[in-house]
Structures are given as C-alpha cells and as structure tokens.
C-alpha cells in the first residue's frame, strides 16, 4: 500500500497536460456533435426519417463507444493512458472523415459506429490522468475545466460543420474536420506524460479487474444513483442539442448558417459558464459537505425545466436564445461535481474502470436513448402537429430532468457512506 503525498510539489507541466487533454476532448465532441448540424442536409440527400436520424446520431455512436470503453479502461489501468488516448484520437478522426464518403443510411451508420470505437478510449483515461495530476481539493475544478471541451467542441462542430456545409457540402465538412484530428494526435503524444498513479490518494494497490470493479461499484447505491441521474440528464442534453437545429429550422425557420451561429453561441456561452460554475461550487461546497456534489446539479435541473419549456414555446429566435441560455448553463453544471464524486467511489488505481462503468450507463442511455427518443417522439407526433412535432417532443423529454433531480437527491443521502478518500 502507498500513502498520499498531500504536500508534494505539483507535477511539472500539469496545466500544459490539462490544456492538451481539453484539446483532445474538444475534438471528441467536435466529431461527435458535428452530425447534429449536418443531419438536415444529410436527410435531404439520403431521404432519412427522424427516427433514422435519431438512431444514426445516438445508437450508431453509443453502441460500441460504451461497450468498448470497458476493455479500454481495463487496459488503461495497466498501460499508458496517453498512448491509448493518442490512438483513440486518430481512429475516431479517421472514421469522422469516412462519414463524408457515405452514400446511404447503412454506410453512415457503420462510419458513426467507427467514431464510437475510437472515442471509447478518449474519456475515462483522461479522468484518471486528471485525478493523478490534481489533488482532491482541486479535482472538481480541474474536471470542470477539462469538460470545457464539451461546449467548445460542440460549438466548433456545429459552427464549422454548418459553415463548411453551406460553403461546399456536408461531405467536405466531415472530411476536413476528421483530417484535422488526425494531425493533432502525434502532437498530443508529445505534450502529455503519464503521471504516477494514486499520487494523492490514501490507498493504492493492484488495479481491479472487470469483475472486481463491478462488484465494488455495483454494491454502492451512490454509483447507481449518480449513473442513472447523470444518464437521465444526458438524455435531455444530448437530445436537445442533437435536435435543436431541426427545431430552429422547422419552428423558427432559420437557414443552415443562422442555425450554426445560434447553436454555437448557445453551446459555448452557456456551456462554459455552467461547467465553470459547477466546478467552483463543487470544490467550495464539497469541502464542507460531500452531499453538495449531487445536490448542486439536482437544484440546477429543477430550475432548468420551466426555462427550457418557455424557450421551446418561443416564437422568435432572439426570445428562444435568451430563454435557452440559462438552462443550457444549468444543465451542464453536473459534470465537475458528479465526476469528482465518481472518482471517489473506488481506489486510485482503478479509477479508469470505475469511470468507464459510469460512462457505460450514462452514455448508453444518454446518447443512444436520448437522441432516438426525441426523433421517435417527433415522428409519432407528426400526424398531429406536423413540423411542430419536434417542439412537443422536447416538452415531453423534459420529464427526464425531473427524474434526474430525484435520483441525485437520493444520491446525496448516501454519498458519505460510499466515499473513498
């Protein structure tokens, strides 16, 4: 067993490493979310329904992304996390470029599965690296800063994807952005080193195997409550962001370029503000009470529901943007606090595996079910509401935010007993 070194000097280059991790995470979400702004021109050319678009944006990506994350995490707890992330970046970027060569639904579905294969190695190893670069009292903020890659990457994906598609076509957008990620991969490998594992932890030992990690995580009610709470919130956030361009087109009649700027500004401003606030509050309030980690997003989700509903019912782009901005920020406040809590549900040497189990539940439900739900609900409601069907699908989907808040509240009642320092 090893002991923590609470007063040890900070690892040299940790902020440079954090910056590089953010860049990779930015490409992670850039490649993941670009399809949201491109799906309308894709649907027009390939003749796809909303249900097919939902499957392409959700299940196609999440199926292998979530399942392969488990063996990748097992490997990352035993080998170089940096090499795994480098390889993952090159693979998912390559498949993003291949999306631009698709000629039917099946081709595009398979290419999106390939993006998921690559991205399976891009997140859980990064969580583990950050936990070994930063001591516990700074982790919520560091993880929140790392999570800036979500709004920055999502905003860049919809903005550059939309502008490139409007200037050339949707195929060129996929190819150009995929090639850019391939070029970044070797630079990331040169910039980031693997820090000592478990440097700041009270205990560290042999990495847990899959079965042992499952037994440890699944025996803790907090794991289930945090995982399903985050998953329900991700259903709303992924579903909204994937289908919002369609809402802007059908209900507010914005063209492709206008939709790109609207969504990019919303994702960037709201996302960065929400994640920063969640990280700061997590570090500050979490030091006083561990219950704060799930309670912060619990309150944020409850406030978000009526604001999102008002935004969906807005009749002008300006009003919709103003009403969407605050709930967009509140809806992403969970990342810093909840990810910090997940890091403390197991020993330091098995963080990647515990994180991957959390991500398995969060992403399989959030991405696969979330994007499909809104598309299927839109198709179901289309005979009644026509082009406005996506608006009513949004309103129905807000119920998952309420469920997320309930689950996280119960997690706050249990978290002290399941916490590992």
């Amino acid at each position: 067993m090893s002991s923590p070194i609470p007063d040890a000097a900070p690892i040299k280059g940790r902020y440079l490493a954090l910056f590089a991790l953010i860049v990779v995470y930015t490409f992670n979400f850039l490649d993941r979310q670009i399809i949201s702004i491109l799906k309308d021109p894709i649907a027009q050319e390939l003749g796809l329904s909303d249900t097919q678009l939902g499957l392409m944006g959700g299940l196609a990506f999440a199926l292998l992304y979530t399942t392969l994350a488990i063996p990748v995490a097992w490997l990352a707890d035993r080998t170089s996390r940096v090499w795994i992330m480098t390889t993952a970046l090159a693979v998912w970027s390559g498949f993003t470029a291949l999306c631009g060569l698709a000629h039917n639904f099946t081709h595009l579905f398979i290419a999106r599965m390939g993006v998921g294969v690559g991205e399976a190695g891009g997140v859980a190893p990064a969580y583990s690296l950050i936990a070994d670069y930063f001591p516990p009292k700074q982790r919520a903020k560091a993880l929140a800063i790392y999570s800036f890659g979500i709004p920055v990457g999502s905003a860049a994906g919809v903005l550059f994807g939309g502008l490139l598609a409007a200037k050339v076509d949707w195929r060129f957008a996929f190819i150009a952005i995929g090639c850019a990620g391939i070029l970044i991969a070797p630079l990331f490998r040169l910039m980031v080193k693997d820090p000592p594992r478990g440097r700041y932890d009270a205990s560290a030992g042999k990495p847990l195997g899959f079965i042992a990690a499952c037994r440890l995580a699944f025996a803790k009610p907090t794991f289930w409550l945090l995982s399903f709470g985050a998953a329900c919130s991700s259903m709303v956030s992924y579903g909204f962001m994937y289908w919002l361009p369609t809402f802007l087109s059908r209900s507010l009649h914005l063209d492709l370029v206008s939709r790109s700027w609207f969504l990019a500004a919303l994702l960037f401003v709201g996302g960065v503000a929400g994640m920063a606030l969640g990280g700061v509050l997590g570090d500050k309030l979490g030091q006083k009470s561990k219950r704060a980690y799930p309670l912060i997003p619990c309150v944020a989700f409850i406030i978000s529901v009526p604001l999102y509903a008002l935004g969906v019912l807005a009749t002008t782009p300006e009003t919709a943007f103003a009403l969407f901005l605050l709930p967009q920020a509140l809806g992403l406040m969970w990342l810093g606090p909840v990810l910090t809590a997940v890091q403390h549900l197991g020993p330091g040497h098995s963080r990647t595996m515990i994180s991957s189990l959390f991500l398995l539940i969060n992403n399989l439900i959030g991405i696969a079910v979330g994007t499909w739900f809104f598309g299927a609900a839109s198709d179901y409601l289309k005979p009644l509401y026509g082009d406005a069907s996506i608006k009513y699908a949004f309103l129905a989907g807000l119920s998952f935010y309420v469920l997320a808040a309930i689950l996280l509240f119960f997690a706050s009642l249990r978290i002290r007993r399941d916490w590992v320092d």
Side-chain angles (χ1 to χ4, degrees):
M1 305 292 285
S2 63
S3 299
I5 313 174
D7 298 322
I11 298 175
K12 184 179 180 181
R14 62 177 177 166
Y15 288 106
L16 178 62
L18 181 60
F19 170 77
L21 289 168
I22 294 170
V23 171
V24 173
Y25 206 26
T26 296
F27 272 89
N28 183 302
F29 267 81
L30 195 159
D31 291 354
R32 188 185 305 189
Q33 296 295 349
I34 184 177
I35 199 167
S36 67
I37 197 67
L38 299 180
K39 69 180 184 304
D40 289 335
I42 291 172
Q44 291 172 8
E45 180 176 329
L46 302 184
L48 306 182
S49 68
D50 284 355
T51 301
Q52 286 178 307
L53 290 171
L55 291 171
M56 181 181 66
L59 182 64
F61 173 84
L63 188 62
L64 292 179
Y65 171 65
T66 53
T67 53
L68 284 179
I70 300 296
V72 169
W74 182 91
L75 190 64
D77 274 334
R78 291 158 175 80
T79 60
S80 170
R81 293 164 286 187
V82 176
W83 264 116
I84 288 173
M85 292 186 64
T86 302
T87 304
L89 173 58
V91 170
W92 87 59
S93 297
F95 276 103
T96 296
L98 288 176
C99 288
L101 304 178
H103 290 285
N104 55 48
F105 174 74
T106 302
H107 292 166
L108 196 54
F109 191 94
I110 293 172
R112 289 294 294 173
M113 287 179 67
V115 176
V117 169
E119 294 199 11
V123 182
Y127 291 165
S128 178
L129 285 168
I130 291 169
D132 285 332
Y133 271 117
F134 294 88
K137 65 181 181 180
Q138 297 177 355
R139 280 177 189 158
K141 183 165 62 178
L143 286 165
I145 293 172
Y146 166 71
S147 297
F148 284 172
I150 297 176
V152 174
S154 298
V158 298
L159 181 59
F160 291 119
L163 295 180
L164 288 172
K167 190 71 174 178
V168 186
D169 61 17
W170 63 268
R171 297 180 183 279
F172 178 77
F174 276 121
I175 294 170
I177 290 175
C179 290
I182 294 173
L183 295 175
I184 292 294
L187 296 177
F188 172 77
R189 178 63 188 87
L190 294 173
M191 291 175 66
V192 182
K193 307 299 181 185
D194 265 289
R197 297 177 192 260
R199 171 183 171 87
Y200 295 109
D201 301 303
S203 62
K206 288 180 61 179
L208 296 182
F210 175 69
I211 300 300
C214 288
R215 286 174 179 167
L216 174 64
F218 295 170
K220 297 188 174 187
T222 304
F223 173 82
W224 294 107
L225 292 165
L226 292 176
S227 297
F228 281 101
C232 288
S233 74
S234 292
M235 284 185 64
V236 181
S237 59
Y238 280 116
F240 258 74
M241 289 306 104
Y242 187 74
W243 287 104
L244 193 54
T246 302
F247 165 78
L248 296 174
S249 174
R250 295 177 185 175
S251 296
L252 299 181
H253 312 295
L254 296 183
D255 61 25
L256 180 60
V257 173
S258 298
R259 296 197 301 268
S260 301
W261 281 108
F262 182 107
L263 192 55
L266 181 66
L267 288 166
F268 181 77
V269 177
V272 171
M275 289 177 182
L277 182 58
V280 171
L281 289 177
D283 277 339
K284 184 176 181 179
L285 301 180
Q287 296 301 310
K288 299 176 181 178
S289 172
K290 293 177 175 58
R291 291 190 63 193
Y293 290 110
L295 283 178
I296 290 168
C298 170
V299 174
F301 294 148
I302 293 297
I303 298 173
S304 295
V305 172
L307 293 172
Y308 261 136
L310 290 172
V312 168
L313 297 173
T315 56
T316 66
E318 295 79 12
T319 303
F321 185 86
L323 289 168
F324 282 146
L325 193 58
L326 181 56
Q328 170 66 17
L330 293 171
L332 292 175
M333 281 180 62
W334 71 268
L335 282 146
V338 171
L339 293 177
T340 299
V342 170
Q343 297 299 304
H344 287 275
L345 294 180
H349 271 66
S350 298
R351 281 204 183 95
T352 314
M353 183 63 74
I354 299 295
S355 294
S356 70
L357 293 172
F358 167 82
L359 291 171
L360 173 67
I361 297 171
N362 178 57
N363 291 323
L364 192 58
I365 295 174
I367 302 176
V369 180
T371 53
W372 167 82
F373 172 85
F374 287 101
S378 177
D379 275 342
Y380 178 78
L381 296 170
K382 195 165 287 185
L384 289 175
Y385 299 106
D387 283 346
S389 61
I390 191 64
K391 176 189 298 186
Y392 294 97
F394 280 165
L395 293 174
L398 287 172
S399 59
F400 291 106
Y401 258 170
V402 178
L403 181 56
I406 293 171
L407 292 169
L408 291 173
F409 173 77
F410 282 108
S412 74
L413 302 178
R414 175 74 194 199
I415 192 169
R416 291 171 181 164
R417 283 173 282 181
D418 293 337
W419 191 273
V420 177
D421 287 317

